[in-house]
Coordinates of all heavy atoms in Angstrom, one line a residue:
M1 N -82.5 -119.3 -19.8 CA -82.5 -118.2 -18.9 C -81.7 -118.5 -17.7 O -81.9 -119.5 -17.0 CB -83.9 -117.8 -18.6 CG -84.0 -116.9 -17.4 SD -85.6 -116.2 -16.8 CE -86.8 -117.4 -17.2
P2 N -80.7 -117.6 -17.3 CA -79.9 -117.8 -16.1 C -80.8 -117.6 -14.9 O -81.6 -116.7 -14.8 CB -78.8 -116.8 -16.2 CG -79.1 -116.0 -17.3 CD -80.2 -116.5 -18.1
V3 N -80.7 -118.5 -13.9 CA -81.4 -118.4 -12.7 C -80.5 -118.7 -11.5 O -79.5 -119.3 -11.7 CB -82.7 -119.3 -12.6 CG1 -83.7 -118.9 -13.7 CG2 -82.3 -120.7 -12.8
G4 N -80.9 -118.3 -10.3 CA -80.2 -118.5 -9.1 C -80.5 -119.9 -8.5 O -81.4 -120.6 -8.9
F5 N -79.7 -120.3 -7.6 CA -79.8 -121.6 -6.9 C -81.2 -121.7 -6.2 O -81.8 -122.7 -6.2 CB -78.7 -121.8 -5.9 CG -77.3 -122.0 -6.6 CD1 -76.3 -121.2 -6.3 CD2 -77.1 -123.1 -7.4 CE1 -75.1 -121.3 -6.9 CE2 -75.9 -123.3 -8.0 CZ -74.9 -122.4 -7.8
K6 N -81.6 -120.6 -5.6 CA -82.9 -120.7 -4.9 C -84.0 -121.0 -5.8 O -84.9 -121.8 -5.5 CB -83.1 -119.4 -4.1 CG -84.5 -119.4 -3.4 CD -84.4 -118.7 -2.1 CE -85.7 -118.6 -1.4 NZ -86.6 -119.8 -1.3
A7 N -84.0 -120.3 -7.0 CA -85.1 -120.5 -8.0 C -85.1 -122.0 -8.4 O -86.1 -122.6 -8.6 CB -84.9 -119.6 -9.1
L8 N -83.9 -122.5 -8.6 CA -83.8 -123.9 -9.1 C -84.3 -124.9 -8.0 O -85.0 -125.8 -8.2 CB -82.4 -124.3 -9.5 CG -81.9 -123.7 -10.7 CD1 -80.4 -123.9 -10.9 CD2 -82.7 -124.2 -11.9
A9 N -83.9 -124.6 -6.7 CA -84.3 -125.4 -5.6 C -85.8 -125.4 -5.4 O -86.5 -126.4 -5.2 CB -83.6 -125.0 -4.3
D10 N -86.4 -124.2 -5.6 CA -87.9 -124.1 -5.4 C -88.6 -124.8 -6.6 O -89.5 -125.5 -6.4 CB -88.3 -122.6 -5.4 CG -87.8 -121.9 -4.1 OD1 -87.5 -122.6 -3.2 OD2 -87.9 -120.7 -4.1
R11 N -88.1 -124.6 -7.8 CA -88.7 -125.2 -9.0 C -88.7 -126.7 -8.9 O -89.7 -127.4 -9.3 CB -88.0 -124.7 -10.2 CG -88.3 -125.5 -11.4 CD -88.8 -124.7 -12.5 NE -89.1 -125.7 -13.6 CZ -89.8 -125.5 -14.6 NH1 -90.4 -124.3 -14.7 NH2 -89.9 -126.4 -15.5
Y12 N -87.6 -127.3 -8.5 CA -87.4 -128.8 -8.6 C -87.6 -129.4 -7.2 O -87.3 -130.6 -7.1 CB -86.1 -129.1 -9.2 CG -86.0 -128.7 -10.7 CD1 -85.3 -127.6 -11.1 CD2 -86.8 -129.4 -11.6 CE1 -85.3 -127.2 -12.4 CE2 -86.7 -129.0 -13.0 CZ -86.0 -127.9 -13.3 OH -86.0 -127.5 -14.6
D13 N -88.0 -128.6 -6.2 CA -88.3 -129.1 -4.9 C -87.1 -129.9 -4.3 O -87.1 -131.0 -3.9 CB -89.5 -130.0 -4.9 CG -90.0 -130.2 -3.4 OD1 -89.8 -129.3 -2.6 OD2 -90.6 -131.3 -3.2
I14 N -85.9 -129.2 -4.4 CA -84.6 -129.8 -3.9 C -84.2 -129.0 -2.7 O -84.2 -127.8 -2.6 CB -83.6 -129.6 -5.0 CG1 -84.0 -130.3 -6.3 CG2 -82.2 -130.1 -4.5 CD1 -83.1 -130.0 -7.5
A15 N -83.8 -129.8 -1.7 CA -83.3 -129.2 -0.5 C -81.8 -128.7 -0.7 O -81.0 -129.5 -1.3 CB -83.3 -130.2 0.7
L16 N -81.5 -127.5 -0.3 CA -80.1 -127.0 -0.5 C -79.2 -127.7 0.5 O -79.5 -128.0 1.6 CB -80.1 -125.5 -0.2 CG -80.9 -124.7 -1.1 CD1 -81.0 -123.2 -0.6 CD2 -80.4 -124.7 -2.5
A17 N -78.0 -128.0 0.0 CA -77.0 -128.7 0.8 C -76.5 -127.8 2.0 O -76.1 -128.3 3.0 CB -75.8 -129.1 0.0
Q18 N -76.5 -126.5 1.7 CA -76.1 -125.5 2.8 C -77.0 -124.3 2.5 O -77.5 -124.1 1.4 CB -74.7 -125.2 2.7 CG -74.2 -124.6 1.4 CD -72.7 -124.4 1.3 OE1 -72.0 -125.1 2.1 NE2 -72.2 -123.6 0.4
P19 N -77.2 -123.5 3.6 CA -78.1 -122.3 3.4 C -77.4 -121.3 2.5 O -76.2 -121.2 2.4 CB -78.2 -121.8 4.8 CG -77.1 -122.4 5.6 CD -76.7 -123.7 4.9
L20 N -78.3 -120.6 1.8 CA -77.8 -119.5 0.9 C -77.2 -118.4 1.8 O -77.7 -118.1 2.9 CB -78.9 -118.9 0.1 CG -79.5 -119.9 -0.9 CD1 -80.8 -119.4 -1.5 CD2 -78.5 -120.4 -1.9
R21 N -76.1 -117.9 1.4 CA -75.4 -116.9 2.2 C -76.0 -115.5 2.2 O -75.8 -114.7 3.2 CB -73.9 -116.8 1.7 CG -73.1 -118.0 2.0 CD -71.7 -117.8 1.5 NE -71.3 -119.0 0.9 CZ -70.3 -119.1 0.0 NH1 -69.7 -118.0 -0.3 NH2 -70.0 -120.2 -0.5
V22 N -76.8 -115.2 1.2 CA -77.3 -113.8 1.1 C -78.8 -113.9 0.9 O -79.3 -114.6 0.1 CB -76.7 -113.1 -0.1 CG1 -77.3 -111.7 -0.3 CG2 -75.2 -113.0 0.0
E23 N -79.5 -113.1 1.7 CA -80.9 -112.9 1.6 C -81.1 -111.5 1.0 O -80.7 -110.5 1.6 CB -81.7 -113.0 2.9 CG -82.1 -114.4 3.3 CD -83.1 -115.0 2.3 OE1 -84.0 -114.4 1.8 OE2 -82.9 -116.2 2.1
S24 N -81.7 -111.4 -0.2 CA -81.8 -110.1 -0.9 C -82.9 -109.3 -0.2 O -84.0 -109.8 0.0 CB -82.2 -110.4 -2.3 OG -82.4 -109.1 -3.0
E25 N -82.6 -108.0 0.1 CA -83.5 -107.1 0.6 C -84.4 -106.5 -0.5 O -85.5 -106.2 -0.4 CB -82.8 -105.9 1.3 CG -82.1 -106.4 2.5 CD -83.0 -106.4 3.7 OE1 -84.0 -105.7 3.8 OE2 -82.7 -107.2 4.6
I26 N -83.8 -106.3 -1.7 CA -84.5 -105.7 -2.8 C -85.2 -106.7 -3.8 O -86.1 -106.4 -4.5 CB -83.7 -104.7 -3.6 CG1 -82.5 -105.5 -4.3 CG2 -83.2 -103.6 -2.7 CD1 -81.8 -104.6 -5.3
G27 N -84.7 -107.9 -3.8 CA -85.2 -108.9 -4.8 C -86.1 -109.9 -4.2 O -86.3 -111.0 -4.8
T28 N -86.8 -109.6 -3.1 CA -87.6 -110.7 -2.5 C -88.9 -110.8 -3.3 O -89.6 -111.9 -3.2 CB -88.0 -110.3 -1.0 OG1 -88.5 -109.0 -1.0 CG2 -86.7 -110.3 -0.2
A29 N -89.3 -109.8 -4.1 CA -90.6 -109.9 -4.8 C -90.3 -109.6 -6.3 O -90.7 -108.6 -6.8 CB -91.6 -109.0 -4.2
R30 N -89.5 -110.5 -6.9 CA -89.1 -110.2 -8.3 C -90.0 -111.0 -9.3 O -90.3 -112.1 -9.0 CB -87.7 -110.6 -8.5 CG -87.2 -110.4 -9.9 CD -85.7 -110.7 -10.1 NE -85.6 -112.2 -9.9 CZ -84.4 -112.8 -9.8 NH1 -83.3 -112.0 -9.8 NH2 -84.3 -114.0 -9.6
L31 N -90.3 -110.3 -10.4 CA -91.1 -111.0 -11.5 C -90.1 -111.0 -12.7 O -89.7 -109.9 -13.1 CB -92.4 -110.2 -11.8 CG -93.1 -110.7 -13.0 CD1 -93.7 -112.1 -12.8 CD2 -94.3 -109.7 -13.3
S32 N -89.8 -112.1 -13.2 CA -88.9 -112.2 -14.4 C -89.7 -112.8 -15.6 O -90.5 -113.7 -15.4 CB -87.8 -113.2 -14.1 OG -87.0 -112.7 -13.0
R33 N -89.3 -112.3 -16.7 CA -89.9 -112.9 -17.9 C -88.8 -112.8 -19.0 O -88.0 -111.9 -19.0 CB -91.2 -112.2 -18.4 CG -91.0 -110.9 -18.9 CD -92.3 -110.3 -19.4 NE -92.0 -109.1 -20.1 CZ -92.7 -108.6 -21.1 NH1 -93.8 -109.1 -21.4 NH2 -92.3 -107.5 -21.6
E34 N -88.8 -113.7 -19.9 CA -87.8 -113.7 -21.0 C -88.5 -113.5 -22.3 O -89.6 -114.0 -22.6 CB -87.1 -115.1 -21.1 CG -86.0 -115.2 -22.1 CD -85.2 -116.4 -22.0 OE1 -85.6 -117.3 -21.2 OE2 -84.3 -116.6 -22.8
S35 N -87.9 -112.7 -23.2 CA -88.5 -112.3 -24.5 C -87.3 -112.1 -25.4 O -86.5 -111.3 -25.2 CB -89.4 -111.1 -24.3 OG -89.8 -110.7 -25.6
D36 N -87.3 -112.8 -26.5 CA -86.3 -112.7 -27.5 C -84.9 -112.8 -26.9 O -84.0 -112.0 -27.3 CB -86.4 -111.4 -28.3 CG -87.7 -111.3 -29.0 OD1 -88.2 -112.3 -29.5 OD2 -88.3 -110.2 -29.1
G37 N -84.7 -113.7 -26.0 CA -83.4 -113.9 -25.4 C -83.0 -112.9 -24.3 O -81.9 -113.0 -23.8
N38 N -83.8 -111.9 -24.1 CA -83.6 -110.9 -23.0 C -84.4 -111.2 -21.8 O -85.6 -111.6 -21.9 CB -83.9 -109.5 -23.5 CG -83.0 -109.1 -24.6 OD1 -81.8 -109.2 -24.6 ND2 -83.6 -108.5 -25.7
V39 N -83.8 -111.0 -20.6 CA -84.6 -111.3 -19.4 C -84.9 -109.9 -18.8 O -84.1 -109.0 -18.7 CB -83.7 -112.1 -18.4 CG1 -84.5 -112.2 -17.1 CG2 -83.3 -113.4 -18.9
E40 N -86.2 -109.8 -18.5 CA -86.7 -108.5 -17.8 C -87.1 -108.9 -16.4 O -87.9 -109.8 -16.2 CB -87.9 -108.0 -18.6 CG -88.5 -106.7 -18.0 CD -89.8 -106.3 -18.7 OE1 -90.0 -106.7 -19.8 OE2 -90.5 -105.5 -18.0
N41 N -86.5 -108.1 -15.5 CA -86.8 -108.3 -14.0 C -87.6 -107.1 -13.5 O -87.1 -106.0 -13.8 CB -85.6 -108.5 -13.2 CG -84.9 -109.8 -13.5 OD1 -85.5 -110.9 -13.6 ND2 -83.6 -109.7 -13.7
R42 N -88.7 -107.3 -12.8 CA -89.4 -106.2 -12.2 C -89.5 -106.5 -10.7 O -89.7 -107.6 -10.3 CB -90.8 -106.2 -12.8 CG -90.8 -105.7 -14.2 CD -92.2 -105.6 -14.7 NE -92.2 -105.2 -16.1 CZ -92.7 -104.1 -16.5 NH1 -93.4 -103.3 -15.7 NH2 -92.7 -103.8 -17.8
Y43 N -89.2 -105.5 -9.9 CA -89.2 -105.6 -8.5 C -90.3 -104.7 -7.9 O -90.6 -103.7 -8.5 CB -87.8 -105.1 -7.9 CG -86.7 -105.9 -8.4 CD1 -86.0 -105.6 -9.5 CD2 -86.3 -107.1 -7.7 CE1 -84.9 -106.4 -10.0 CE2 -85.2 -107.8 -8.1 CZ -84.5 -107.5 -9.2 OH -83.5 -108.2 -9.7
S44 N -90.8 -105.1 -6.8 CA -91.8 -104.3 -6.1 C -91.2 -103.0 -5.7 O -90.0 -102.9 -5.4 CB -92.4 -105.0 -5.0 OG -91.4 -105.4 -4.0
Q45 N -92.0 -102.0 -5.5 CA -91.5 -100.7 -5.1 C -91.1 -100.7 -3.7 O -91.8 -101.2 -2.8 CB -92.6 -99.6 -5.3 CG -92.1 -98.2 -5.0 CD -93.1 -97.2 -5.5 OE1 -94.1 -97.5 -6.1 NE2 -92.9 -95.9 -5.1
L46 N -89.9 -100.1 -3.4 CA -89.5 -100.1 -2.0 C -90.2 -99.0 -1.2 O -90.5 -97.9 -1.7 CB -88.0 -99.7 -1.9 CG -87.0 -100.8 -2.4 CD1 -85.6 -100.3 -2.5 CD2 -87.1 -102.0 -1.5
E47 N -90.7 -99.3 0.0 CA -91.4 -98.4 0.8 C -90.5 -97.3 1.4 O -90.9 -96.1 1.5 CB -92.1 -99.1 1.9 CG -93.0 -100.3 1.5 CD -94.4 -99.9 1.5 OE1 -94.8 -99.0 2.2 OE2 -95.2 -100.6 0.7
D48 N -89.3 -97.6 1.7 CA -88.3 -96.7 2.3 C -87.7 -95.9 1.1 O -86.9 -96.4 0.4 CB -87.3 -97.5 3.0 CG -86.2 -96.7 3.7 OD1 -86.1 -95.5 3.4 OD2 -85.6 -97.2 4.6
E49 N -88.0 -94.6 1.0 CA -87.5 -93.8 -0.1 C -86.0 -93.6 0.0 O -85.4 -93.6 -1.1 CB -88.2 -92.4 0.0 CG -89.7 -92.5 -0.5 CD -90.3 -91.1 -0.6 OE1 -89.6 -90.2 -1.0 OE2 -91.5 -91.0 -0.3
D50 N -85.4 -93.5 1.2 CA -84.0 -93.4 1.3 C -83.3 -94.6 0.7 O -82.3 -94.6 0.0 CB -83.5 -93.2 2.7 CG -83.9 -91.8 3.2 OD1 -84.0 -90.8 2.4 OD2 -84.1 -91.6 4.4
M51 N -83.8 -95.8 1.1 CA -83.3 -97.1 0.6 C -83.4 -97.1 -0.9 O -82.5 -97.5 -1.7 CB -83.9 -98.3 1.2 CG -83.6 -99.6 0.6 SD -81.9 -100.1 0.9 CE -82.1 -101.1 2.4
A52 N -84.6 -96.8 -1.4 CA -84.8 -96.8 -2.9 C -83.8 -95.9 -3.6 O -83.3 -96.3 -4.7 CB -86.3 -96.3 -3.2
E53 N -83.6 -94.7 -3.1 CA -82.6 -93.8 -3.8 C -81.2 -94.4 -3.7 O -80.5 -94.3 -4.7 CB -82.6 -92.5 -3.1 CG -83.8 -91.6 -3.4 CD -83.8 -90.3 -2.6 OE1 -82.7 -89.8 -2.3 OE2 -84.9 -89.8 -2.4
R54 N -80.8 -95.1 -2.6 CA -79.5 -95.7 -2.6 C -79.4 -96.9 -3.5 O -78.3 -97.0 -4.2 CB -79.2 -96.2 -1.1 CG -79.0 -95.0 -0.2 CD -78.3 -95.4 1.1 NE -79.0 -96.6 1.8 CZ -79.9 -96.5 2.7 NH1 -80.4 -95.4 3.1 NH2 -80.4 -97.6 3.2
V55 N -80.4 -97.6 -3.7 CA -80.4 -98.8 -4.6 C -80.3 -98.2 -6.1 O -79.5 -98.7 -6.8 CB -81.7 -99.6 -4.5 CG1 -81.8 -100.6 -5.6 CG2 -81.7 -100.4 -3.1
V56 N -81.1 -97.2 -6.4 CA -81.0 -96.7 -7.8 C -79.6 -96.1 -8.0 O -79.0 -96.4 -9.1 CB -82.1 -95.6 -8.0 CG1 -81.9 -94.8 -9.3 CG2 -83.5 -96.2 -8.0
E57 N -79.0 -95.4 -7.1 CA -77.7 -94.9 -7.3 C -76.7 -96.0 -7.4 O -75.7 -95.9 -8.3 CB -77.3 -93.9 -6.1 CG -76.0 -93.2 -6.3 CD -75.8 -92.5 -7.6 OE1 -76.8 -91.9 -8.1 OE2 -74.7 -92.5 -8.2
A58 N -76.8 -97.0 -6.7 CA -75.8 -98.1 -6.7 C -75.9 -98.8 -8.1 O -74.9 -99.1 -8.7 CB -76.1 -99.1 -5.6
V59 N -77.1 -99.0 -8.6 CA -77.3 -99.6 -9.9 C -76.7 -98.7 -11.0 O -76.0 -99.2 -11.9 CB -78.7 -100.0 -10.2 CG1 -79.0 -100.4 -11.6 CG2 -79.2 -101.1 -9.2
R60 N -77.0 -97.5 -11.0 CA -76.5 -96.5 -12.0 C -75.0 -96.5 -11.9 O -74.3 -96.6 -13.0 CB -77.0 -95.1 -11.7 CG -78.4 -94.9 -12.1 CD -78.8 -93.5 -12.0 NE -80.2 -93.3 -12.4 CZ -81.1 -92.5 -11.9 NH1 -80.8 -91.8 -10.8 NH2 -82.3 -92.4 -12.3
S61 N -74.4 -96.5 -10.7 CA -73.0 -96.5 -10.6 C -72.3 -97.7 -11.2 O -71.3 -97.7 -11.9 CB -72.6 -96.3 -9.1 OG -71.2 -96.4 -9.0
A62 N -73.0 -98.8 -10.9 CA -72.4 -100.1 -11.4 C -72.4 -100.1 -13.0 O -71.4 -100.6 -13.6 CB -73.2 -101.3 -10.9
F63 N -73.5 -99.6 -13.6 CA -73.5 -99.6 -15.0 C -72.5 -98.6 -15.6 O -71.9 -98.8 -16.6 CB -74.9 -99.3 -15.5 CG -75.8 -100.5 -15.6 CD1 -76.7 -100.8 -14.6 CD2 -75.7 -101.4 -16.6 CE1 -77.4 -101.9 -14.6 CE2 -76.4 -102.6 -16.7 CZ -77.3 -102.8 -15.7
E64 N -72.3 -97.4 -14.9 CA -71.3 -96.5 -15.4 C -69.9 -97.1 -15.3 O -69.1 -96.9 -16.2 CB -71.4 -95.2 -14.5 CG -72.7 -94.4 -14.8 CD -72.9 -93.3 -13.8 OE1 -72.1 -93.1 -12.8 OE2 -73.9 -92.5 -14.0
D65 N -69.7 -97.8 -14.2 CA -68.3 -98.4 -14.0 C -68.1 -99.4 -15.2 O -67.0 -99.5 -15.7 CB -68.2 -99.1 -12.7 CG -68.1 -98.2 -11.5 OD1 -67.9 -97.0 -11.8 OD2 -68.2 -98.6 -10.4
R66 N -69.2 -100.2 -15.5 CA -69.1 -101.2 -16.5 C -68.8 -100.5 -17.9 O -67.9 -101.0 -18.6 CB -70.4 -102.0 -16.6 CG -70.3 -103.1 -17.7 CD -71.6 -103.8 -17.8 NE -71.7 -104.8 -16.8 CZ -72.7 -105.6 -16.6 NH1 -73.8 -105.5 -17.3 NH2 -72.7 -106.6 -15.7
E67 N -69.5 -99.5 -18.2 CA -69.3 -98.8 -19.5 C -67.9 -98.2 -19.6 O -67.3 -98.1 -20.7 CB -70.4 -97.7 -19.6 CG -71.8 -98.2 -19.9 CD -72.8 -97.1 -19.9 OE1 -72.5 -95.9 -19.6 OE2 -74.0 -97.5 -20.0
M68 N -67.4 -97.8 -18.4 CA -66.0 -97.2 -18.4 C -64.9 -98.2 -18.3 O -63.8 -97.9 -18.4 CB -65.9 -96.2 -17.3 CG -66.9 -95.0 -17.4 SD -66.9 -94.0 -16.0 CE -65.7 -92.8 -16.4
G69 N -65.3 -99.5 -18.2 CA -64.3 -100.5 -18.0 C -63.7 -100.6 -16.7 O -62.6 -101.2 -16.6
T70 N -64.3 -100.0 -15.7 CA -63.7 -100.0 -14.4 C -64.5 -100.8 -13.4 O -64.4 -100.7 -12.2 CB -63.6 -98.6 -13.8 OG1 -64.9 -98.0 -13.7 CG2 -62.7 -97.7 -14.7
G71 N -65.4 -101.7 -13.9 CA -66.3 -102.5 -13.0 C -65.5 -103.4 -12.1 O -64.4 -103.9 -12.5
R72 N -66.0 -103.5 -10.9 CA -65.3 -104.4 -9.9 C -66.0 -105.7 -9.9 O -67.2 -105.8 -9.9 CB -65.4 -103.8 -8.5 CG -64.7 -102.5 -8.4 CD -65.0 -101.9 -7.1 NE -64.9 -100.4 -7.3 CZ -65.9 -99.6 -6.9 NH1 -66.9 -100.0 -6.2 NH2 -65.8 -98.3 -7.2
E73 N -65.2 -106.8 -10.1 CA -65.8 -108.1 -10.2 C -65.2 -109.0 -9.1 O -64.2 -108.8 -8.6 CB -65.5 -108.7 -11.5 CG -66.2 -107.9 -12.6 CD -66.0 -108.5 -14.0 OE1 -65.7 -109.7 -14.1 OE2 -66.1 -107.7 -14.9

């Protein structure tokens, strides 16, 4: 299962050589599980409804771009 550097550092009690550049606003309380090679991530509900709507729209847009082959990488 692919994981981020922070998850690896926490799991193996390793000090990072340099601080992580991004602190996630939406992913601070994520629950991940793997089943049949698929990873399912669940995030806590955002209290700020405007922020929640912007996040949902950004994710939808990213998937639409990917399906159309116009994703930005």
Side-chain angles (χ1 to χ4, degrees):
M1 164 176 28
V3 296
F5 291 119
K6 177 141 178 46
L8 290 172
D10 290 346
R11 162 126 181 162
Y12 295 105
D13 196 28
I14 298 170
L16 297 171
Q18 60 187 18
L20 297 172
R21 292 183 219 158
V22 177
E23 271 300 318
S24 177
E25 293 278 332
I26 63 170
T28 56
R30 179 177 67 188
L31 172 66
S32 297
R33 73 176 188 153
E34 184 175 2
S35 177
D36 297 326
N38 296 313
V39 177
E40 178 183 341
N41 294 313
R42 292 182 181 239
Y43 298 90
S44 59
Q45 186 170 350
L46 290 173
E47 306 259 336
D48 181 342
E49 288 187 33
D50 290 332
M51 171 70 94
E53 288 179 25
R54 290 195 311 268
V55 169
V56 169
E57 183 55 37
V59 171
R60 283 186 180 141
S61 177
F63 278 99
E64 288 169 359
D65 287 350
R66 179 184 278 178
E67 288 173 359
M68 297 171 93
T70 61
R72 294 175 214 130
E73 298 181 23

